[in-house]
Amino acid sequence: LSLVVLLMLGAFSCKKDGNSSSNSSVTTDQVADIAAGSLAANSEGFASVTDDIAVNAQGISSTSKVTINSNGLTTSSVHQECGTTLTDSVTRSLTIDSVTLNYFFKYSHTLNCNTSNQPDNVANALTFHGSFDGPRLSSNDSGSATVTIAGLTQNATNFVVNGEYKRDGSFQLKIGNKASGNSHVDLTVANVKLSKPGRKIVSGTGTIAVNGTGPKGGTFSYSGVIVFNGDGTATLTISDAVYTVNLASGYCLKHK
């Protein structure tokens, strides 16, 4: 009977806390929330970046350039020439879906054309810094990305994004043991397709690495894979745990 009780206690502990690296109290479930923050639009994650560069790509491939400002989209008569690099910036400060965010992005867009001198793809380099405060996680961070968006020709049915997104900063979790610490997120994506003209993520894959320091100086290191489902969510697999991440809100649901 004692042995049975001990086994049951161990099972309940695993179910509640998830898997954590040695010397750290940051669990797999909490790392999934950190990863979700780097993906979701309302924490200015990868989904927000893809939308920004897709808006720019739409402007380049049309008769006028569409740019972004803090109030939304504006259209001007400026049109980028083949082989040139233009820069712009985006500042967002707002509260949406119980999340308060303040971010600044600086973009560099280099237009590459095909042999017919038509826009083909844009190589984007960006840096950012800011903070967000949500129901499950708050973070102060900075980062960078190098992402190329193709599919600018008129006969292309989707934009296609490839590249790498990195995010570093301090975090405060509001779930479980409410761990705090510092994290580094490295996301690499392959053939992420966005609908034209709606700019919705319809498919693609990625790999993600999340590491850092947790409470009392303990370290953690996790890696996982991401599949973009085309319905506004992504499936995130870390170790043997599987989660569904809402790419708009960042809500992370663990599969049983």
Side-chain angles (χ1 to χ4, degrees):
L1 180 61
S2 297
L3 179 59
V4 172
V5 171
L6 288 173
L7 289 173
M8 290 178 65
L9 288 174
F12 287 133
S13 296
C14 291
K15 184 177 181 180
K16 180 180 179 181
D17 296 330
N19 300 320
S20 62
S21 296
S22 59
N23 302 321
S24 173
S25 55
V26 179
T27 67
T28 308
D29 293 349
Q30 292 172 323
V31 167
D33 278 296
I34 295 173
S38 296
L39 288 169
N42 77 343
S43 49
E44 294 300 311
F46 175 74
S48 181
V49 169
T50 59
D51 192 66
D52 284 352
I53 64 175
V55 167
N56 182 71
Q58 283 180 332
I60 290 173
S61 57
S62 66
T63 56
S64 62
K65 184 184 177 187
V66 181
T67 57
I68 310 171
N69 61 23
S70 59
N71 298 316
L73 303 180
T74 60
T75 303
S76 70
S77 59
V78 177
H79 191 77
Q80 187 169 351
E81 300 296 332
C82 295
T84 62
T85 299
L86 297 180
T87 60
D88 59 27
S89 62
V90 182
T91 300
R92 293 191 180 95
S93 179
L94 54 95
T95 299
I96 183 171
D97 295 331
S98 302
V99 178
T100 300
L101 61 89
N102 293 276
Y103 276 91
F104 174 80
F105 287 80
K106 184 175 182 179
Y107 286 90
S108 172
H109 314 279
T110 301
L111 175 62
N112 299 305
C113 295
N114 59 23
T115 55
S116 301
N117 210 37
Q118 297 175 330
D120 181 77
N121 67 81
V122 180
N124 302 273
L126 65 108
T127 58
F128 65 89
H129 59 84
S131 63
F132 73 91
D133 184 15
R136 298 168 66 90
L137 172 71
S138 62
S139 179
N140 288 278
D141 44 58
S142 61
S144 63
T146 52
V147 284
T148 298
I149 183 167
L152 274 66
T153 58
Q154 294 299 315
N155 60 348
T157 57
N158 294 293
F159 294 116
V160 182
V161 175
N162 288 274
E164 186 175 22
Y165 171 96
K166 297 181 179 182
R167 189 170 184 145
D168 297 273
S170 60
F171 66 87
Q172 174 65 63
L173 288 152
K174 302 178 182 181
I175 57 174
N177 59 5
K178 299 183 180 180
S180 61
N182 296 284
S183 65
H184 169 75
V185 178
D186 192 338
L187 169 66
T188 301
V189 298
N191 298 321
V192 175
K193 293 183 179 180
L194 280 68
S195 63
K196 295 172 67 175
R199 307 190 307 277
K200 304 299 182 182
I201 298 177
V202 296
S203 64
T205 60
T207 59
I208 191 166
V210 184
N211 56 69
T213 57
K216 300 180 181 179
T219 61
F220 62 93
S221 180
Y222 293 86
S223 60
V225 295
I226 299 167
V227 177
F228 295 95
N229 299 321
D231 59 357
T233 69
T235 299
L236 169 66
T237 303
I238 301 176
S239 300
D240 58 351
V242 181
Y243 306 84
T244 297
V245 177
N246 186 304
L247 294 174
S249 68
Y251 180 75
C252 191
L253 176 64
K254 187 176 183 179
H255 295 195
K256 294 183 179 179

